[in-house]
């Protein structure tokens, strides 16, 4: 068995803070799990558990346990309790405001670009960046077009009627 490289030693104040965060009903589930990892791995207060046991008990990956403990030991408690999400990650649900939505619909209703039989979400995303200076991901554009019943692949531009298929 390998020796433990990172040892979690919480002070009384840090332990009380973690327990208060766990009690708060508005706390995110991810943050609650990170709190529980640190409390279970604490060597100063009571019995410590092995990393695999902590992962199994909290129903998370062992690598998550290792990463949270490493963040706590190398940086700080605040660093271990916050998680950074990238701007383009699927967790950061991108919303399009009304002005940008109107501009995108105007672009989508145009005929297909030269050299293409019909438009696509990727083409529309590129045109939004270049022509409109609106940064919107293709997933957000697709959701917005679906809400307005626009179809980029229809022969005619504009909203397409919804037909019932034989299998539905």
């Amino acid at each position: 068995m390998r020796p433990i490289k990172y040892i979690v030693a919480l002070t009384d104040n840090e332990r009380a803070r973690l327990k208060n965060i766990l009690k708060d009903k508005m706390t995110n589930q991810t943050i609650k799990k990170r709190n529980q990892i640190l409390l279970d791995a604490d060597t100063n207060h009571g019995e410590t558990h092995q990393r695999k046991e902590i992962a199994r008990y909290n129903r998370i990956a062992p690598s998550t346990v290792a990463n949270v403990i490493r963040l706590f030991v190398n940086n700080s408690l605040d660093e271990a309790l916050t998680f950074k999400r990238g701007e383009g990650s699927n967790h950061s649900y991108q919303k399009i405001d009304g002005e940008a939505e109107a501009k995108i619909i105007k672009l989508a209703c145009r005929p297909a670009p030269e050299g293409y039989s019909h438009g696509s979400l990727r083409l529309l995303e590129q045109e939004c960046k270049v022509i409109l200076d609106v940064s919107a991901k293709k997933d957000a554009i697709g959701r917005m077009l679906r809400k307005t019943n626009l179809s980029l692949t229809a022969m005619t531009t504009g909203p397409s009627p919804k037909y019932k298929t034989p299998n539905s």
Side-chain angles (χ1 to χ4, degrees), residues 9-105:
L10 295 172
T11 63
D12 291 333
N13 291 338
E14 289 173 335
R15 191 166 178 83
R17 181 177 168 205
L18 290 175
K19 286 188 176 186
N20 284 337
I21 291 173
L22 276 176
K23 289 177 186 175
D24 187 12
K25 291 182 181 179
M26 297 300 291
T27 304
N28 186 340
Q29 193 67 31
T30 305
I31 302 300
K32 283 187 177 183
K33 292 219 180 201
R34 287 180 178 217
N35 281 342
Q36 195 61 51
I37 289 168
L38 292 174
L39 287 171
D40 290 343
D42 183 21
T43 58
N44 285 349
H45 301 88
E47 182 182 325
T48 60
H49 302 284
Q50 290 185 355
R51 306 302 195 240
K52 288 181 182 178
E53 290 175 1
I54 295 171
R56 193 173 337 119
Y57 176 73
N58 292 309
R59 295 182 178 172
I60 50 176
S63 60
T64 304
V65 174
N67 289 336
V68 170
I69 291 173
R70 182 180 42 79
L71 277 173
F72 172 73
V73 172
N74 288 341
N75 300 322
S76 67
L77 181 63
D78 292 328
E79 190 75 24
L81 295 181
T82 58
F83 52 99
K84 300 174 188 86
R85 288 186 174 152
E87 204 173 292
S89 76
N90 59 354
H91 295 291
S92 59
Y93 196 76
Q94 186 179 16
K95 293 185 180 177
I96 301 173
D97 63 340
E99 185 178 330
E101 185 176 334
K103 290 177 181 178
I104 292 171
I105 289 174

